[in-house]
Amino acid sequence: MNNIQAQTFGGQILRAHLLGKEIFYCPEVLQSAPTPARGGVPVLFPQFGTLGALPKHGFARTLDWQVFSMLEGCVSANLLLTEQENWPHRAQLNVDASVEDEHVAIYFEVRNVGETAFTWTGGLHPYFLVGDVLKTRVEGLLDTPVLDFGAQQLETRDIDQHHPISPSIRLYSPNMNVQLTQSGFDAWQVWNPSAQHALQDIPHADWQRFVCVEPVVLTPKTLAPNETWVGQLTITLIDE
Ligand SMILES: O=P(O)(O)OC[C@H]1O[C@@H](O)[C@H](O)[C@@H](O)[C@@H]1O
């Protein structure tokens, strides 16, 4: 059975099932505002990570969005991001996601609805449910044809790497094998916090159950008033 679920806080997709398979890691108990929820697919905007002076990963993941679900298997999350501290702009953000057959398709749209141009970084931060990250690999990155997490010393240190963008890569894990196809983004960020993490918002052992493979914009993009940027991530179950 296919379905998808999102919450208003952060406009965040939390869970999606494809042919009955759970695609995203999402703990039972999620942090509530103002702490960003760890799991599902956080939206990062207008700053990726600490690439600037704004709050880490921007404002979008800690604001309340409007979330609609009019058709089964589809969600639409929308945020009019108005002026924030150190960010005197206005942006309309839309995340539209659907599950159909063996795909989850996520569109992320950013429109400048203010009167001044702004420059942004950000993207989507999916927490893929892999079962055991130490038995998981990513294939098809341009600079690392096979990224084997079992060989990354995740018992002692995190992995936090960006890789040049490619149209599609594959994630092989005990939970699922998926192809990740993107357009519009400029890097794949790969992150797992390792067994040594100090995250307080997930059960400690859960570090091993997920990996984040994130289609992101790391090179600042400028949008003039009325200009729109669109990115897409499609997650497709594959057999091999
Ligand atoms: O703990 P946060 O703020 O949700 O960030 C999680 C991780 O997100 C990744 O995108 C970053 O590359 C990591 O550096 C960061 O630690």
Side-chain angles (χ1 to χ4, degrees):
M1 177 169 141
N2 284 347
N3 60 49
I4 190 159
Q5 182 194 337
Q7 68 171 10
T8 53
F9 181 52
Q12 198 159 325
I13 296 165
L14 296 180
R15 296 184 181 85
H17 289 92
L18 266 184
L19 306 178
K21 200 172 271 290
E22 183 113 47
I23 302 299
F24 302 118
Y25 166 78
C26 187
E28 298 266 303
V29 181
L30 282 168
Q31 299 297 301
S32 45
T35 308
R38 189 176 302 286
V41 189
V43 179
L44 317 181
F45 183 87
Q47 176 182 295
F48 177 83
T50 52
L51 286 181
L54 299 178
K56 186 179 176 196
H57 284 327
F59 314 108
R61 65 177 182 161
T62 53
L63 292 172
D64 276 327
W65 294 46
Q66 286 190 304
V67 172
F68 304 96
S69 180
M70 282 185 279
L71 294 170
E72 200 172 332
C74 292
V75 287
S76 178
N78 312 292
L79 175 71
L80 174 63
L81 178 61
T82 53
E83 292 81 354
Q84 306 285 318
E85 198 179 339
N86 297 325
W87 200 75
H89 308 288
R90 290 168 86 84
Q92 176 68 46
L93 308 185
N94 298 320
V95 171
D96 289 313
S98 60
V99 282
E100 198 181 346
D101 303 329
E102 69 280 17
H103 313 280
V104 182
I106 307 174
Y107 291 87
F108 176 33
E109 186 177 288
V110 180
R111 181 170 177 79
N112 185 345
V113 291
E115 284 164 13
T116 52
F118 61 73
T119 296
W120 67 280
T121 54
L124 300 172
H125 194 305
Y127 283 76
F128 289 105
L129 185 66
V130 293
D132 183 354
V133 69
L134 300 175
K135 295 184 180 142
T136 296
R137 66 188 194 281
V138 168
E139 288 192 6
L141 291 164
L142 292 179
D143 56 352
T144 314
V146 180
L147 176 55
D148 180 355
F149 294 99
Q152 295 296 313
Q153 292 154 338
L154 286 172
E155 292 85 356
T156 53
R157 59 181 160 94
D158 71 345
I159 181 169
D160 194 5
Q161 309 177 336
H162 51 266
H163 297 268
I165 203 69
S166 49
S168 85
I169 56 179
R170 294 169 306 283
L171 176 69
Y172 295 98
S173 78
N175 180 48
M176 63 188 182
N177 298 330
V178 285
Q179 173 152 322
L180 309 179
T181 306
Q182 71 74 41
S183 60
F185 298 91
D186 67 21
W188 292 108
Q189 185 78 20
V190 175
W191 177 69
N192 175 279
S194 88
Q196 301 303 320
H197 75 86
L199 302 173
Q200 299 297 317
D201 49 4
I202 55 170
H204 188 85
D206 279 11
W207 70 272
Q208 203 168 338
R209 301 179 58 213
F210 68 81
V211 68
C212 297
V213 181
E214 311 156 28
V216 289
V217 169
L218 295 184
T219 302
K221 263 193 198 308
T222 301
L223 282 181
N226 289 318
E227 219 180 331
T228 301
W229 170 91
V230 183
Q232 185 183 356
L233 172 67
T234 303
I235 302 159
T236 308
L237 281 178
I238 52 176
D239 288 335
E240 321 142 56

